[in-house]
Amino acid sequence: MKKRRLSALISALCLTATAVTACGGGTTQETTAASTAAENKAQETEGAKEETTVQAEAAGGSVRILMNVTGGKDEEEMKLFVEALEAATGLDIEVEKPVSDYSKVMMQKLSGGEKYDLIYLGASEYANLIDQETLMDITDYVSNSQILSQNIDQSEWDDITIDGKVYAGFNKKEVHRVVALNNVMLKAAGIDYQSITPTLDGYYEVFSKLKENNSEADFYPFEVIMKDAWDLQPWMAAVGVKTGVVLDDSGKKYAPVSTETAAPVWEWFKKLYDDGLMDPSSFVDATSDMRGKMGAASRKNACCVDWAAWVGLHNSNALAEGVSEDDYQVVSLPGCETPDGSYMLGKGGASLFAVPANAENVEGAVKVLEYFATQEGGELLSIGMEGYDYTKDGDTYTQTEIGKAHGNDHGAPVPIYKDFKAPFGYNPGMEDALSLGNYASIEMTISNEADYKEIVGKWGIQMIRGEASIEDGLAGMRKELLERGVTEVE
């Protein structure tokens, strides 16, 4: 029988991440002017491509994965996830899933020379590790894989292509963030959410009515995770400003949220805070805190910005807890209208499984990536493990109580496979939220995204609290972004 292994970290590592050095190398092809040599080289390259395809199809052995987010909800469920992945791929799979501080643990392990065939990471980490030559170029594997090249929209590959190369495959399809609102609270305040005026003043009026209609001392209509500058895009759209870093006409990086154009939105945030409509915890809370307050068990907030999938998860979680739609329902909107009559939402940076430069089983890693890009792989990453999260009789799927509690999310509420069919459909409200995706675009991937968030969040808090004027705060934000290399011009 195949040996199944699972290792889990029991305690978080607290060591500071150190610089990562590439542990692998490659061959450099020399170009000659002679036509015969060029023809030979072309034949060699084509042969190598064919060999790559054969290797991926016939991949075997052990694949070691450093994983976050994806898989089972606890150690026992992770064993079931690994068993299902092994059965589907024919590989021996070893998964290591740190219990906390994933990014720090990942960097510490890579810098220590530990070998993995796949590592989970986000877009900014992806760019950072490419800069450090820590990831393997798998462009040829992708282009020569019928599954990877045809089952995934080209636009997704374009989003993770850096200097013409790809170093990872996908954990899931990243969707977008929307304005999420508690519709039961809106109805109680006499508000039809589909008739909300999509302006800063329109939302101010909505928040005011919500506050007037709720006598709880610790209720605040609106929360935004300002310390991390967590998604400001639906509000910055009111002045046509793109969040993140963009290029000016001369090709230099700058941050539009730090410009005078964005001042009216920062003034609006300050007014919400001054008038008791913004939760003061916006300055210290994490997204998990925000979600808890928006959830059916708390209902301390009535509006926030979050992933389209979380609209569905809030509703699904409430139903699993026995709370009816009449008592709790989250709905979605695209936020403020832009000056040209459209909307602007933020699409998430890619959630990836990259191949480290020192990977020992690249073909096996590619086989796992291929499986994730199929209907069956998407089912494992969304609805979970057959016989545990659901049962199947022919084409009929039946969800277990455990499966219902998991909300169709084992790392990929929306799988990367472009033709994926959700066996149980999407969670209530999620399909409406997903329909707003036409307004979404990704922010530029930068390696120092953490610096951007820290600086924008810090100065944003100072402006909202009145510790700095809007003019001085924006000037300070621009100055620090430039000094720390996030931008190239003020």
Side-chain angles (χ1 to χ4, degrees):
M1 293 181 61
K2 193 163 37 179
K3 182 180 179 183
R4 297 186 172 96
R5 296 169 293 165
L6 175 71
S7 58
L9 294 181
I10 304 303
S11 59
L13 297 178
C14 300
L15 296 177
T16 302
T18 56
V20 181
T21 305
C23 301
T27 59
T28 304
Q29 296 180 341
E30 296 180 357
T31 304
T32 68
S35 60
T36 301
E39 183 177 347
N40 290 340
K41 178 59 71 177
Q43 291 174 349
E44 291 173 9
T45 301
E46 186 61 33
K49 288 182 178 180
E50 292 177 0
E51 183 180 353
T52 295
T53 304
V54 171
Q55 287 175 335
E57 290 175 350
S62 176
V63 172
R64 192 176 185 216
I65 307 175
L66 187 64
M67 187 175 284
N68 189 28
V69 178
T70 303
K73 306 297 183 180
D74 56 32
E75 190 170 344
E76 288 304 309
E77 288 181 17
M78 183 57 81
K79 290 178 182 178
L80 297 176
F81 179 88
V82 170
E83 289 174 0
L85 187 56
E86 287 182 328
T89 61
L91 298 163
D92 288 318
I93 305 291
E94 178 183 358
V95 169
E96 186 173 326
K97 190 174 184 180
V99 295
S100 61
D101 295 330
Y102 176 82
S103 293
K104 289 182 179 180
V105 172
M106 176 187 68
M107 293 297 290
Q108 197 261 344
K109 285 178 171 292
L110 292 178
S111 65
E114 287 204 45
K115 295 181 179 180
Y116 297 93
D117 300 302
L118 288 171
I119 55 172
Y120 176 97
L121 39 69
S124 61
E125 294 165 325
Y126 178 67
N128 213 350
L129 292 177
I130 290 172
D131 285 346
Q132 297 182 44
E133 300 182 349
T134 308
L135 302 182
M136 181 179 294
D137 174 8
I138 62 168
T139 310
D140 283 345
Y141 285 96
V142 172
S143 62
N144 292 300
S145 166
Q146 191 172 24
I147 294 174
L148 293 176
S149 61
Q150 296 186 17
N151 285 18
I152 300 172
D153 287 326
Q154 183 57 42
S155 61
E156 301 289 345
W157 291 115
D158 292 342
D159 284 344
I160 67 167
T161 298
I162 296 182
D163 295 331
K165 298 178 181 179
V166 171
Y167 301 80
F170 298 90
N171 172 58
K172 62 180 176 177
K173 180 180 177 65
E174 287 297 337
V175 288
H176 51 278
R177 295 176 289 272
V178 297
V179 176
L181 302 109
N182 185 316
N183 196 32
V184 173
M185 288 184 176
L186 291 174
K187 288 178 179 179
I191 301 168
D192 175 1
Y193 83 95
Q194 294 177 320
S195 300
I196 292 174
T197 304
T199 63
L200 295 176
D201 288 343
Y203 275 97
Y204 179 89
E205 182 180 350
V206 167
F207 298 157
S208 295
K209 288 182 179 179
L210 286 167
K211 184 71 171 180
E212 291 168 5
N213 197 65
N214 194 308
S215 59
E216 297 289 334
D218 56 352
F219 169 78
Y220 293 92
F222 176 67
E223 181 167 27
V224 57
I225 306 303
M226 188 57 68
K227 72 180 181 66
D228 295 327
W230 171 252
D231 197 352
L232 311 181
Q233 186 62 81
W235 316 118
M236 287 292 170
V239 292
V241 160
K242 173 79 172 168
T243 56
V245 170
V246 303
L247 301 179
D248 65 13
D249 292 339
S250 63
K252 300 290 188 180
K253 291 186 293 186
Y254 78 105
V257 298
S258 70
T259 66
E260 293 301 322
T261 303
V265 183
W266 291 112
E267 290 167 354
W268 179 73
F269 284 136
K270 184 178 188 307
K271 182 175 175 61
L272 293 178
Y273 175 69
D274 289 344
D275 294 349
L277 303 179
M278 177 192 289
D279 192 333
S281 297
S282 294
F283 307 137
V284 295
D285 273 355
T287 52
S288 58
D289 300 310
M290 175 187 75
R291 287 165 185 158
K293 293 177 182 179
M294 275 292 295
S298 178
R299 306 183 222 194
K300 298 299 183 185
N301 298 140
C303 178
C304 68
V305 175
D306 209 343
W307 297 108
W310 264 97
V311 172
L313 282 170
H314 278 307
N315 292 324
S316 176
N317 291 341
L319 291 172
E321 294 163 5
V323 181
S324 74
E325 189 176 284
D326 291 335
D327 293 325
Y328 178 84
Q329 181 191 36
V330 174
V331 294
S332 59
L333 287 173
C336 290
E337 199 172 57
T338 63
D340 64 0
S342 186
Y343 296 93
M344 298 171 70
L345 296 175
K347 179 183 176 184
S351 170
L352 305 168
F353 277 109
V355 181
N358 63 349
E360 296 184 327
N361 189 356
V362 182
E363 290 76 20
V366 170
K367 194 168 186 178
V368 172
L369 296 177
E370 287 180 328
Y371 178 65
F372 287 165
T374 64
Q375 175 69 28
E376 295 76 14
E379 289 177 5
L380 177 62
L381 293 172
S382 58
I383 63 174
M385 290 72 75
E386 184 176 359
Y388 182 77
D389 290 285
Y390 69 95
T391 58
K392 187 177 178 182
D393 182 8
D395 294 331
T396 302
Y397 292 73
T398 303
Q399 203 164 30
T400 65
E401 291 303 313
I402 291 175
K404 291 176 183 178
H406 287 164
N408 301 319
D409 183 4
H410 285 77
V414 182
I416 193 62
Y417 177 38
K418 63 184 179 64
D419 296 322
F420 182 75
K421 301 293 189 297
F424 300 111
Y426 290 116
N427 290 325
M430 183 173 167
E431 195 162 351
D432 287 341
L434 290 175
S435 72
L436 302 175
N438 290 338
Y439 301 120
S441 63
I442 196 169
E443 292 181 0
M444 180 188 294
T445 300
I446 56 175
S447 59
N448 49 1
E449 180 185 9
D451 291 330
Y452 165 85
K453 291 181 176 180
E454 177 194 335
I455 295 166
V456 172
K458 180 184 75 173
W459 285 101
I461 290 172
Q462 290 186 32
M463 289 186 289
I464 294 168
R465 283 177 170 168
E467 297 165 355
S469 68
I470 302 297
E471 182 180 0
D472 290 344
L474 291 175
M477 189 186 297
R478 291 194 298 273
K479 182 174 183 291
E480 190 168 352
L481 286 167
L482 181 62
E483 289 174 346
R484 290 173 61 177
V486 177
T487 57
E488 296 169 318
V489 292
E490 284 194 39

